[in-house]
Amino acid sequence: AKKSLHPPMSSIISSYLLPFLRSGFPYALEYMVFGMAMESAVAVRKQDDSNLKKPYNWFLTLVQISLIGFGGGWFMPLLLGLPSSYLLGADVNTFGCLISWYLVFHSPGDVWYKYVCSFPPFQVFYVSGAQLFRSSGIYGFVDKALNLPMSPSTYYPTPLFGPILSAALLSNVGPIFRLSYPTWFSKGMTSNFQYSFVLGAFYHIYANDEDGFIGVTLRSAVSNAVEKIDVFEDDRDAVKCAVSLFMVIFGCMKLPSFIGPTFDPLSFPSKLLLTVSGVSESNSRKKSTANSKTMKKKANVSDTPPQATRKSKRGKKID
């Protein structure tokens, strides 16, 4: 017999938590857009303040907010050869960017940025909306890419990396347009790419890999837990809620009021994987490269006779 949660707990989850994670509550789109735009505006303001760029260029800051918050949704469909519904029907997104831009950069007395944006409950409010927006983008673009005319390889019955990479690139297209890809990836794999890739892979394999052994194994491993909770419509609904829950908790934990920006639950597994595979970090590569250049320079100097060096400095020919 299927065991479910205690009835009051099940009722609370079904009535409040699941509609939130599914983005199925009234004005969910407006809430998510406002959260994404507000988080982007605060990020641009912090960067401009750190660079001491005052007075603010109003159009530049507005464009930066738009690209950080919605650049992926605007341009990623074009990279897939699809019309951009976010770009063509961007009324809510544009309005959200304008409101957030004005409040963060031009509110009277700078009250909004100095006091409202530093208020922890408000930070949780808009960060949760932004993370819900990102979650819907992850599983939405996985499904969008899977529905494109593509055929699986001869080695596996389900297309794997195409849909997963589409979700991973979604959250990086905006910053790439804004900063260029060498700058954006100069420090290695970004947090945006890492979490979009991992959660996109988890969603895609669990929900869409019906015949492959990876999907079958993953579903069998977690099916007991899903059945015990007994509040989800199906497997797809369960994994969507799981992705949204993880993203919301992750975003809130990175706030200064909680653990802070250093919170990164995937940091240890990723570093362990790099260590086991023998892949060096970027800093060690730079250090080894610098050391090799120094050694070559010393070798060249030591191989040159002192007399020839003195003659070359006087501009004379060296036989």
Side-chain angles (χ1 to χ4, degrees):
K2 183 186 294 185
K3 295 181 180 180
S4 60
L5 293 176
H6 193 267
M9 179 62 68
S10 178
S11 177
I12 292 174
I13 293 176
S14 301
S15 301
Y16 299 101
L17 181 60
L18 290 184
F20 177 77
L21 297 177
R22 292 168 179 158
S23 305
F25 51 93
Y27 302 104
L29 175 62
E30 290 79 2
Y31 167 63
M32 292 188 296
V33 167
F34 175 77
M36 194 71 210
M38 181 58 60
E39 185 181 81
S40 303
V42 171
V44 172
R45 174 66 186 270
K46 287 181 179 178
Q47 183 182 33
D48 285 0
D49 285 353
S50 63
N51 295 334
L52 300 178
K53 291 182 178 179
K54 294 183 180 181
Y56 305 106
N57 183 315
W58 72 270
F59 188 69
L60 176 60
T61 55
L62 182 58
V63 170
Q64 288 178 327
I65 293 169
S66 303
L67 285 177
I68 292 176
F70 307 102
W74 289 352
F75 299 117
M76 189 60 195
L78 303 179
L79 299 178
L80 296 176
L82 299 172
S84 176
S85 58
Y86 290 97
L87 186 60
L88 299 176
D91 291 350
V92 177
N93 296 0
T94 303
F95 196 58
C97 288
L98 288 171
I99 292 177
S100 301
W101 163 77
Y102 179 79
L103 291 175
V104 172
F105 283 90
H106 303 284
S107 63
D110 207 17
V111 173
W112 187 271
Y113 180 72
K114 290 182 178 178
Y115 302 103
V116 179
C117 290
S118 60
F119 186 50
F122 180 71
Q123 291 177 339
V124 172
F125 174 78
Y126 75 75
V127 167
S128 298
Q131 293 298 89
L132 280 181
F133 188 87
R134 292 188 177 97
S135 303
S136 63
I138 290 173
Y139 51 74
F141 269 80
V142 166
D143 292 338
K144 189 184 292 289
L146 186 64
N147 291 329
L148 292 175
M150 67 171 69
S151 300
S153 68
T154 57
Y155 305 101
Y156 200 77
T158 304
L160 286 180
F161 286 103
I164 295 171
L165 288 175
S166 298
L169 290 174
L170 172 67
S171 59
N172 291 268
V173 171
I176 288 174
F177 268 87
R178 175 173 172 251
L179 300 173
S180 79
Y181 75 89
T183 303
W184 179 240
F185 293 116
S186 61
K187 297 182 179 179
M189 183 183 293
T190 63
S191 176
N192 292 21
F193 191 96
Q194 184 182 42
Y195 285 91
S196 298
F197 184 88
V198 172
L199 294 176
F202 176 69
Y203 168 77
H204 179 50
I205 293 172
Y206 189 92
N208 298 323
D209 186 16
E210 298 179 355
D211 302 321
F213 72 93
I214 304 177
V216 173
T217 303
L218 179 61
R219 282 189 297 275
S220 62
V222 300
S223 59
N224 291 333
V226 174
E227 291 177 359
K228 287 181 180 180
I229 297 176
D230 193 27
V231 291
F232 302 109
E233 298 173 357
D234 50 26
D235 287 339
R236 187 176 300 273
D237 178 58
V239 71
K240 283 183 178 180
C241 291
V243 169
S244 298
L245 181 63
F246 179 91
M247 288 292 288
V248 170
I249 294 176
F250 169 68
C252 292
M253 289 298 103
K254 290 180 74 70
L255 290 171
S257 304
F258 294 94
I259 298 178
T262 57
F263 177 70
D264 187 3
L266 291 183
S267 176
F268 176 75
S270 61
K271 289 182 179 179
L272 180 62
L273 179 62
L274 290 176
T275 303
V276 171
S277 60
V279 179
S280 301
E281 295 284 353
S282 58
N283 291 335
S284 61
R285 286 202 302 270
K286 290 179 180 178
K287 184 177 180 180
S288 61
T289 303
N291 290 338
S292 63
K293 289 182 179 180
T294 304
M295 294 297 291
K296 288 181 180 179
K297 186 176 180 181
K298 289 181 178 180
N300 292 336
V301 173
S302 61
D303 291 342
T304 305
Q307 185 178 2
T309 304
R310 289 193 298 270
K311 288 184 178 180
S312 64
K313 289 181 179 179
R314 290 196 293 266
K316 294 181 179 181
K317 294 183 178 180
I318 302 175
D319 295 332

